[in-house]
């Protein structure tokens, strides 16, 4: 059994333990740590990395590019089944909480690290702060939906990104005074990094046989897939890849593969479906490469939560290969279309993009790059006037 040693923090107890674990967490924590550790009124923080994602492309590149400080504590859990991964994070996080006596534990998003660390803290009567609270797909088959619902139930302060989140939380019995609409920290990172993003031409120039991607008027489509609901069921995954091949006849497709997806392609023997000079399979891209690629794309096809938001802000049409979204503002106000796995609907969006430019939208309220500053102000206020359960409004 691995022993976790935790150095006692230099100053008195009461830091806020900020937790990250998986790729989508890194973009969210970067502006929070930057804001919390800056003047005026810095908030004492310690950064905990659970190690849920560990590959260089899934992890290290993000810390470097987003200038996230080295974690103070690393739990190194790695991959496992949901139960084992969640349990192992809890087992390794508990001694950290005991040693640190934090004034609160801050978690972001909806990954297994989020619920695991929230649960450890709540059981020790340590307040939990959830950033990106209240999002609901209403699809309990998604592991992330379970993580969202449960994390919100045991959180003290809930910071939301869009108006629907408050409604969802109120319906689930959360006290209105605990909910704070602050905007979207993911978009803080996007705005902070847009100027430094790597030009798409540079990323595309690395593709062997890159002609279709650099020449021609059609531009290119970015594809990402990693949800178990899309890639784990062989027939469905094959159906999606067949659709991608049809799309690629109209517009070349750039496909950075998540490790889960890469593994599924190999296990199911689907490599030949991706062998085309109009489909470029890449390693997972680092943030600045992905941002440059997405912001210059003509179209994005994805099952990611974050990309639905990012495309809305950079004004690129997005087709979401899911039957629902926990981010409805990206559909109602943004550039997102929910298509499920329906081939006709996906091709209709592709045609609309190629013929008419596709769906345009507007940037949702408070997605302005300043969400982390709002969280910091609320938190400083709360730390000063803290009551056992309910935050000051
Ligand atoms: C997790 C999150 C999901 C998020 C996604 C983004 C949960 C429940 N899911 O899903 O919400 O959208 O991250 O990436 O927390 N793997 C590697 N190297 C890595 C990480 C993963 O090879 O650095 C492989 C492993 O084989 C692993 C598989 O990918 O079994 C899945 O990783 P895991 O963290 O379990 O979930 P994701 O599918 O990445």
């Amino acid at each position: 059994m691995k022993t976790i040693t935790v150095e006692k923090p230099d100053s008195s107890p009461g830091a806020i333990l900020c937790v990250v674990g998986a790729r989508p967490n890194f973009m969210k924590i970067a502006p929070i740590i930057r804001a919390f550790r800056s003047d005026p009124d810095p908030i004492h923080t310690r950064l905990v990395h659970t190690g849920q994602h560990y590959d260089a492309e899934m992890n290290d590149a993000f810390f470097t590019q987003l200038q996230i400080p080295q974690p103070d504590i690393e739990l190194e859990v790695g991959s496992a089944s949901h139960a084992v991964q969640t349990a192992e994070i809890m087992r390794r996080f508990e001694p950290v909480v005991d040693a640190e006596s934090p004034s609160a534990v801050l978690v972001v998003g909806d990954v297994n690290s989020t619920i695991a660390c929230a649960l450890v803290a709540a059981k020790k009567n340590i307040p939990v702060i959830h950033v990106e609270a209240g999002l609901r797909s209403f699809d309990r088959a998604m592991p992330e939906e379970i993580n969202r619902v449960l994390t919100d139930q045991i959180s003290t302060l809930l910071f939301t990104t869009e108006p629907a989140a408050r409604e969802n939380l109120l319906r689930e019995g959360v006290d209105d005074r605990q909910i704070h609409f602050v905007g979207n920290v993911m978009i803080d990172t996007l705005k902070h990094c847009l100027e430094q993003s790597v030009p798409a031409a540079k990323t595309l120039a690395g593709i062997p046989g890159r002609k279709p991607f650099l020449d021609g008027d059609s531009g290119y489509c970015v594809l990402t897939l990693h949800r178990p609901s899309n890639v784990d069921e062989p027939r469905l995954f094959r159906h999606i890849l067949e659709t991608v091949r049809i799309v690629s006849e109209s517009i070349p497709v750039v496909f950075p593969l998540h490790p889960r997806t890469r593994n599924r392609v190999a296990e199911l023997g689907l490599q030949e479906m991706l062998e085309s000079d109009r489909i470029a399979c890449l390693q997972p891209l680092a943030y600045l490469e992905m941002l440059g690629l997405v912001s210059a794309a003509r179209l994005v096809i994805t099952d990611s939560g974050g990309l639905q938001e990012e495309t809305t802000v950079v004004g690129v049409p997005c087709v979401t290969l899911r039957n629902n979204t926990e981010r409805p503002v990206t559909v109602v106000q943004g550039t997102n279309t929910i298509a499920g796995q329906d081939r006709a609907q996906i091709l209709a969006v592709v045609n609309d993009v190629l013929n008419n430019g596709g769906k345009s939208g507007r940037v949702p309220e408070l997605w302005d790059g300043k969400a982390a500053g709002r969280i910091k102000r609320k938190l400083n206020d709360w730390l000063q006037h803290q009551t056992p359960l309910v935050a000051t409004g």
Side-chain angles (χ1 to χ4, degrees):
M1 185 186 282
K2 187 180 162 78
T3 314
I4 314 290
T5 47
V6 181
E7 267 178 48
K8 196 81 180 123
D10 39 10
S11 56
S12 56
I16 293 194
L17 286 185
C18 296
V19 176
V20 289
R23 183 171 64 175
N25 293 164
F26 305 142
M27 296 75 117
K28 294 168 194 168
I29 212 70
I32 293 174
I33 295 282
R34 198 178 326 113
F36 284 12
R37 291 188 177 173
S38 65
D39 288 326
D41 305 321
I43 296 175
H44 183 200
T45 53
R46 303 259 290 164
L47 182 60
V48 181
H49 191 340
T50 66
Q52 182 177 338
H53 283 178
Y54 45 84
D55 278 359
E57 318 95 49
M58 301 293 282
N59 182 71
D60 306 13
F62 287 81
F63 271 74
T64 311
Q65 291 191 341
L66 303 179
Q67 297 168 317
I68 305 170
Q70 276 306 305
D72 299 293
I73 297 145
E74 307 213 37
L75 305 183
E76 296 177 3
V77 291
S79 299
S81 71
H82 280 263
V84 170
Q85 187 177 60
T86 308
E88 196 59 24
I89 297 168
M90 291 180 68
R91 197 183 69 75
R92 296 184 188 201
F93 188 55
E94 184 172 46
V96 174
V97 173
D98 289 340
E100 300 271 329
S101 303
S103 55
V105 169
L106 181 147
V107 294
V108 296
D110 56 15
V111 301
N112 288 339
S113 302
T114 309
I115 179 62
C117 294
L119 199 47
V120 170
K123 292 262 184 142
K124 292 180 175 289
N125 285 326
I126 308 279
V128 175
I129 301 160
H130 188 200
V131 175
E132 202 187 80
L135 297 181
R136 296 290 179 270
S137 65
F138 305 103
D139 176 4
R140 296 270 171 116
M142 277 181 87
E144 294 83 0
E145 182 75 351
I146 309 289
N147 295 343
R148 293 181 198 115
V149 170
L150 298 181
T151 302
D152 287 339
Q153 280 299 317
I154 55 176
S155 291
T156 297
L157 275 177
L158 300 99
F159 290 112
T160 61
T161 55
E162 60 171 282
R166 168 174 256 116
E167 304 306 317
N168 295 335
L169 292 169
L170 293 176
R171 209 173 33 249
E172 291 171 12
V174 176
D175 189 316
D176 197 24
R177 289 169 295 176
Q178 294 171 259
I179 307 167
H180 304 281
F181 174 39
V182 290
N184 193 333
V185 285
M186 185 106 159
I187 304 308
D188 289 15
T189 290
L190 186 152
K191 297 219 162 193
H192 186 76
C193 293
L194 200 52
E195 274 187 13
Q196 314 148 48
S197 66
V198 175
K202 191 168 174 201
T203 306
L204 296 174
I207 299 174
R210 62 190 187 273
K211 212 167 175 339
F213 298 89
L214 293 174
D215 299 349
D217 303 326
S218 69
Y220 59 88
C221 166
V222 175
L223 169 70
T224 81
L225 288 171
H226 76 279
R227 298 253 157 244
S229 57
N230 280 333
V231 305
D232 281 3
E233 210 277 295
R235 277 183 52 200
L236 181 57
F237 192 26
R238 179 178 280 275
H239 170 83
I240 291 172
L241 294 184
E242 279 165 5
T243 307
V244 168
R245 269 195 94 101
I246 298 170
V247 168
S248 74
E249 288 163 14
S250 306
I251 182 167
V253 175
V254 187
F255 187 14
L257 271 95
H258 186 285
R260 170 192 286 278
T261 311
R262 195 192 313 131
N263 293 342
R264 296 303 287 159
V265 167
E267 284 160 22
L268 299 172
L270 298 175
Q271 294 93 331
E272 88 283 354
M273 298 195 68
L274 295 169
E275 278 164 16
S276 157
D277 61 1
R278 296 183 62 83
I279 302 174
C281 292
L282 310 181
Q283 297 296 313
L285 292 178
Y287 185 78
L288 295 178
E289 280 77 6
M290 191 66 176
L291 182 56
L293 194 67
V294 164
S295 55
R298 208 145 165 217
L299 171 70
V300 169
I301 301 178
T302 190
D303 59 10
S304 144
L307 270 174
Q308 295 173 54
E309 300 182 334
E310 289 163 342
T311 47
T312 274
V313 172
V314 295
V316 172
C318 178
V319 189
T320 296
L321 302 194
R322 288 173 42 191
N323 297 315
N324 49 56
T325 180
E326 62 286 340
R327 295 161 158 91
V329 79
T330 62
V331 176
V332 177
Q333 296 183 22
T335 57
N336 190 16
T337 303
I338 302 296
Q341 292 78 21
D342 186 76
R343 184 168 295 164
Q345 204 174 344
I346 296 164
L347 297 179
V349 178
V350 173
N351 285 332
D352 181 46
V353 167
L354 294 179
N355 298 326
N356 313 310
K359 185 178 178 184
S360 56
R362 65 187 161 90
V363 177
E365 189 186 355
L366 299 189
W367 291 21
D368 57 359
K370 297 175 184 163
R374 293 188 193 97
I375 292 172
K376 180 184 177 184
R377 283 193 291 282
K378 280 284 169 204
L379 215 47
N380 264 327
D381 190 30
W382 176 77
L383 286 166
Q384 278 170 27
H385 306 104
Q386 200 180 135
T387 55
L389 266 177
V390 176
T392 52

